[in-house]
């Protein structure tokens, strides 16, 4: 089992550039979550999908952030334009929904630095 | 609303000491409770979970009991090792399919030999 796969693992970019983070969930899982982790704010949910449909995007900071899940095996989180305050570790997690008791499996994260 | 409160860290212990990390929660309904662990440079991994009152989750010598009367889910280990040094997150979900985890702020544990 490959687990949740995220790419890239590290990204350094300049302010104003577009950044795309990618996630491949565990095969068979039907829920996918994007989280952001910073020292100041801890772990925050950005958005989650159930059966490829966005369920709650209230955590998305602003219009510069967008997420898509075109199929069950792939999701992207895009930041355009990026700003230094977007620097953080972005985690993708997936689970098989079974009444809310399911375990979420996390990817290794993408460490983003915006200069 | 739903929230999780963990004790502030860092927690610094010597090897073989007893560990307690406090966690309390506020939730509508009957949540499931989790402890996740994050080792340096890695993603989060499930350590243990409990899905109903009085359940005890356990793994790798760690234990936590779901206490509905005190809305708590404290993490304990009888004898910590240097390899237990990590950040520990308490979390809950409301028992609806596909709902997200609500995390505490995390507690850093540092164990020295």
């Amino acid at each position: 089992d490959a687990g949740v796969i995220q790419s890239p693992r590290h990204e350094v970019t300049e302010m104003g550039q577009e950044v795309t983070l990618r996630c491949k969930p565990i095969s068979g899982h039907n829920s996918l979550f994007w989280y952001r982790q910073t020292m100041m704010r801890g772990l925050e949910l950005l958005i989650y999908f159930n059966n490829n449909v966005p369920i709650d995007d209230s955590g998305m900071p602003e219009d510069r952030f967008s997420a898509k899940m075109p199929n069950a095996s792939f999701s992207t989180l895009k930041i355009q334009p990026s700003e230094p305050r977007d620097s953080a570790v972005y985690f993708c997690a997936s689970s098989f929904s079974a009444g809310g008791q399911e375990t979420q499996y996390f990817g290794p994260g993408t460490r983003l630095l915006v200069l | 609303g739903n929230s999780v409160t963990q004790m502030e860290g860092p927690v610094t212990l010597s090897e073989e000491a007893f560990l307690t990390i406090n966690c309390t929660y506020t939730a509508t309904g009957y949540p499931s409770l989790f402890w996740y662990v994050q080792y340096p440079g890695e993603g989060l991994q499930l350590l243990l979970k409990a899905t109903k009152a009085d359940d005890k989750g356990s793994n790798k010598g760690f234990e936590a009991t779901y206490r509905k009367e005190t809305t708590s889910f404290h993490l304990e280990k009888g004898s910590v090792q240097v390899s237990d040094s990590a950040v520990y997150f308490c979390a809950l979900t409301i028992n609806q399919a596909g709902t997200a985890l609500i995390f505490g702020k995390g507690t850093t544990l540092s164990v020295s030999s």
Side-chain angles (χ1 to χ4, degrees):
Chain A
D1 187 349
V4 176
I5 299 172
Q6 289 187 248
S7 63
R9 292 292 308 274
H10 303 272
E11 178 81 24
V12 180
T13 190
E14 293 186 345
M15 183 174 63
Q17 296 299 305
E18 177 179 294
V19 175
T20 299
L21 311 181
R22 298 174 176 79
C23 176
K24 177 179 171 56
I26 292 172
S27 178
H29 283 188
N30 59 356
S31 291
L32 183 139
F33 308 81
W34 282 101
Y35 295 89
R36 178 172 67 176
Q37 185 179 36
T38 62
M39 290 293 292
M40 292 297 294
R41 301 173 67 91
L43 270 163
E44 306 173 278
L45 175 71
L46 299 177
I47 185 171
Y48 74 92
F49 297 82
N50 189 246
N51 294 320
N52 310 337
V53 176
I55 303 300
D56 182 356
D57 66 354
S58 59
M60 296 285 264
E62 48 200 90
D63 291 346
R64 298 184 298 106
F65 285 68
S66 63
K68 293 182 179 179
M69 191 166 187
N71 57 62
S73 59
F74 184 66
S75 176
T76 59
L77 178 67
K78 186 174 294 187
I79 308 173
Q80 166 64 19
S82 58
E83 298 182 2
R85 59 191 168 124
D86 302 331
S87 298
V89 182
Y90 291 80
F91 289 106
C92 176
S94 71
S95 69
F96 178 74
S97 296
Q101 302 174 358
E102 62 271 17
T103 298
Q104 291 184 21
Y105 294 85
F106 282 72
T110 295
R111 188 172 298 273
L112 173 65
L113 178 61
V114 183
L115 301 173
Chain B
N2 304 310
S3 65
V4 174
T5 302
Q6 288 181 239
M7 61 185 289
E8 294 281 334
V11 174
T12 304
L13 296 173
S14 297
E15 205 164 26
E16 299 183 3
F18 184 86
L19 168 71
T20 299
I21 300 178
N22 290 338
C23 171
T24 57
Y25 67 89
T26 302
T28 55
Y30 302 99
S32 292
L33 302 173
F34 304 79
W35 277 100
Y36 278 80
V37 59
Q38 183 178 29
Y39 297 102
E42 298 183 10
L44 281 73
Q45 2 178 327
L46 178 69
L47 181 59
L48 53 85
K49 71 178 185 181
T51 58
K52 62 182 187 296
D54 299 325
D55 269 1
K56 176 185 284 188
S58 61
N59 185 27
K60 299 181 181 180
F62 291 89
E63 293 182 341
T65 301
Y66 187 139
R67 301 288 189 199
K68 183 180 175 184
E69 63 274 14
T70 55
T71 63
S72 64
F73 193 54
H74 305 320
L75 182 68
E76 297 182 336
K77 186 174 185 182
S79 177
V80 293
Q81 305 300 312
V82 172
S83 57
D84 294 327
S85 299
V87 182
Y88 293 82
F89 293 90
C90 186
L92 66 83
T93 60
I94 300 304
N95 287 328
Q96 294 175 6
T99 53
L101 285 161
I102 297 169
F103 285 97
K105 291 190 179 299
T107 302
T108 300
L109 170 65
S110 178
V111 181
S112 58
S113 57

